[in-house]
């Protein structure tokens, strides 16, 4: 949407989630699995994904990945280059602001800490998703 020239705003972000959820609901209705990788820091965004699953008549599961080590988080951020065109690289100030804006979860979800060994997080995620 941003690459089409639409300005970045809450509304364009919400619209992007809705487009993604529409595709996800269709895929789910065909019996396929869907992984939606999204920030989901606002409840309204999470509800869009829950509604897509409900529309398709399937269960949804959510995994929230956090980084409990601020130094590691800062280092990862500093070394990241996504080259996503109209999407600027976040700054540490952006991360801190996003944390303060993050709304509490209202549904069950798994929290994984990215400072833990990848293998441990994969095991925890697979166990959570296959229950």
């Amino acid at each position: 949407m941003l690459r089409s020239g639409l300005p970045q705003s809450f509304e364009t972000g919400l619209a992007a989630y809705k487009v993604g959820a529409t595709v996800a609901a269709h895929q789910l209705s065909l019996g396929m699995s869907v992984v939606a990788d999204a920030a989901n820091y606002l409840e309204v965004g999470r509800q869009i994904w829950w509604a897509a699953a409900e529309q398709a008549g399937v269960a949804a599961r959510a995994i929230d990945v956090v980084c409990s080590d601020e130094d590691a988080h800062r280092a990862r951020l500093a070394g990241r280059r996504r080259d996503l065109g109209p999407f600027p690289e976040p700054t540490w100030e952006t991360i801190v602001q996003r944390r303060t804006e993050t709304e509490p979860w209202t549904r069950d979800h798994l929290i994984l800490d990215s400072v833990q060994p990848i293998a441990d997080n994969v095991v925890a995620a697979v166990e959570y998703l296959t229950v």
Side-chain angles (χ1 to χ4, degrees), residues 19-108:
V19 168
T22 298
V23 173
H26 179 71
Q27 298 298 91
L28 291 169
S29 72
L30 296 174
M32 301 175 78
S33 297
V34 173
V35 175
D37 182 1
N40 290 321
Y41 68 99
L42 298 177
E43 184 63 20
V44 65
R46 297 177 205 137
Q47 291 301 329
I48 290 170
W49 301 113
W50 298 121
E54 289 168 11
Q55 177 184 340
V58 299
R61 306 292 257 157
I63 299 175
D64 185 17
V65 181
V66 301
C67 183
S68 64
D69 182 326
E70 185 175 311
D71 292 335
H73 197 167
R74 283 178 178 261
R76 291 173 184 172
L77 181 65
R80 185 168 85 171
R81 296 291 174 264
R82 300 175 304 162
D83 194 29
L84 294 178
F87 300 96
E89 292 295 329
T91 63
W92 184 249
E93 291 73 26
T94 306
I95 301 299
V96 171
Q97 179 180 351
R98 182 65 53 91
R99 282 183 185 162
T100 64
E101 296 170 349
T102 298
E103 296 176 349
W105 285 77
T106 61
R107 296 195 188 204
D108 178 55

Side-chain angles (χ1 to χ4, degrees), residues 28 59 90 118 120 128:
L28 291 169
I118 292 173
D120 293 352
Y128 177 72

